[in-house]
Amino acid sequence: MSDITVINDSQQSDLVTNGLAKNGELYLKAAGSTDAGAIVVYDSGSWRTFANEAASFQNQYSVAFDGTNDYVDTGSTFQSTYQSSHTISFWFKLDNTSSLQSLFGAWSGPTSQNAIYFDGSASIVHRYRVASNPKATTSSAFTADTNWHHYAVTLTQSGSNLDVKTYIDGVYKETSTTAITMSGFSQSNNSYIGLRNGSSGYLDGKMDEVAIIGSALSDGGVSKGQTAGGDIATLYNSGVPDDISSFSPVAHYRMGDNDSGTGTTITDQGSGGNDATLVNGPTFSTDVPS
């Protein structure tokens, strides 16, 4: 039997392009690549894939930000997604617990916002605003530390109102109801990771598994302060990131796991295909939620 070589997607393609793929040669697909953990065999011009049932979802990388000037640009405003019910989910770790820092979202001046940030004190804040309508601000109490945490927010259009629910580490934290029609949302800035309004609120910390899902996920009907059930429980997964492809995310930035933790591009694993770009030097890290 041939020795098994670990390869990622680009290496698999290069084997064919460069005429190095040999019939019967066995390869193991690397973590973060398509069919990760599977055995692939080259057979007369085509690849045969044999799923490894023992292989599980692997999370090996996050992205570290220095709090000075680096961030990730998703390359999209996600305006159409933000115009109807949706969910935002991510994992974060603060290295600085005493200054305002942006985590994720779009922020264009005072009248167009769908953003999440740490207030520098004791709250994770989500703010959504359409034009001159009242802004929906939902502040979730948070004991700031330097550990990994999961955050999720669901936005639901209910008649003429916007209902917002927030969750930290699987617990239903806060809710707000505001007279807002989401279809009027307009945004000129892209959604950024680790940056607010294009020039402020730089994150000093790490982010992982950032996702936008095109529906408001369920929480099992729990009350504030209770541990969520339903889809939110699946997202949190008892504090360990897991495969969320069943939610069909519009965008899913695995923060290095599909890019071998190298380069300046984060390949979007969502349906939108909006690859993100590392700007001004954020780095891949092997410090991940576990």
Side-chain angles (χ1 to χ4, degrees):
M1 179 181 290
S2 301
D3 293 335
I4 299 180
T5 302
V6 179
I7 57 173
N8 59 30
D9 291 337
S10 61
Q11 292 168 329
Q12 183 177 2
S13 177
D14 288 345
L15 285 171
V16 177
T17 301
N18 297 324
L20 299 176
K22 300 177 182 178
N23 284 341
E25 193 80 24
L26 303 178
Y27 301 92
L28 175 66
K29 293 303 296 290
S33 61
T34 304
D35 298 317
I39 301 296
V40 293
V41 182
Y42 191 70
D43 182 11
S44 302
S46 62
W47 291 97
R48 296 183 181 275
T49 302
F50 300 89
N52 182 355
E53 298 299 332
S56 60
F57 176 89
Q58 295 185 3
N59 181 38
Q60 297 179 311
Y61 298 101
S62 64
V63 170
F65 303 81
D66 64 8
T68 301
N69 67 345
D70 54 16
Y71 61 98
V72 172
D73 184 348
T74 67
S76 176
T77 66
F78 294 105
Q79 177 173 295
S80 60
T81 301
Y82 295 162
Q83 288 176 337
S84 59
S85 299
H86 62 276
T87 299
I88 297 171
S89 168
F90 56 78
W91 297 79
F92 70 98
K93 181 178 183 180
L94 300 176
D95 291 334
N96 177 340
T97 60
S98 60
S99 64
L100 187 149
Q101 298 168 69
S102 180
L103 298 170
F104 177 77
W107 189 300
S108 181
T111 58
S112 180
Q113 302 154 9
N114 188 16
I116 301 138
Y117 59 94
F118 170 58
D119 70 354
S121 177
S123 295
I124 303 296
V125 182
H126 172 263
R127 180 176 293 178
Y128 185 97
R129 192 172 192 182
V130 175
S132 59
N133 292 307
K135 55 180 175 286
T137 301
T138 312
S139 296
S140 303
F142 172 68
T143 302
D145 58 32
T146 56
N147 298 321
W148 279 103
H149 296 279
H150 180 256
Y151 179 90
V153 57
T154 63
L155 293 83
T156 305
Q157 186 72 62
S158 179
S160 59
N161 292 326
L162 167 64
D163 293 334
V164 177
K165 291 183 176 182
T166 64
Y167 308 85
I168 297 179
D169 295 336
V171 175
Y172 177 17
K173 298 293 287 188
E174 286 296 337
T175 186
S176 66
T177 298
T178 310
I180 291 178
T181 301
M182 298 177 74
S183 61
F185 183 87
S186 178
Q187 180 59 244
S188 58
N189 283 341
N190 289 341
S191 284
Y192 299 125
I193 304 171
L195 172 66
R196 184 173 96 173
N197 204 25
S199 61
S200 64
Y202 292 100
L203 172 63
D204 184 1
K206 300 176 179 70
M207 294 283 287
D208 199 10
E209 301 294 332
V210 180
I212 306 170
I213 298 163
S215 62
L217 297 186
S218 68
D219 65 4
V222 298
S223 300
K224 282 201 303 181
Q226 294 182 327
T227 299
D231 298 331
I232 298 299
T234 300
L235 278 182
Y236 179 54
N237 192 43
S238 300
V240 181
D242 201 359
D243 186 359
I244 63 169
S245 59
S246 61
F247 295 124
S248 302
V250 175
H252 185 194
Y253 301 106
R254 301 219 48 221
M255 309 304 269
D257 288 285
N258 292 94
D259 305 287
S260 300
T262 61
T264 58
T265 298
I266 299 175
T267 305
D268 181 11
Q269 298 302 300
S271 60
N274 295 295
D275 292 347
T277 303
L278 279 64
V279 181
N280 295 332
T283 57
F284 292 109
S285 169
T286 55
D287 181 357
V288 297
S290 61

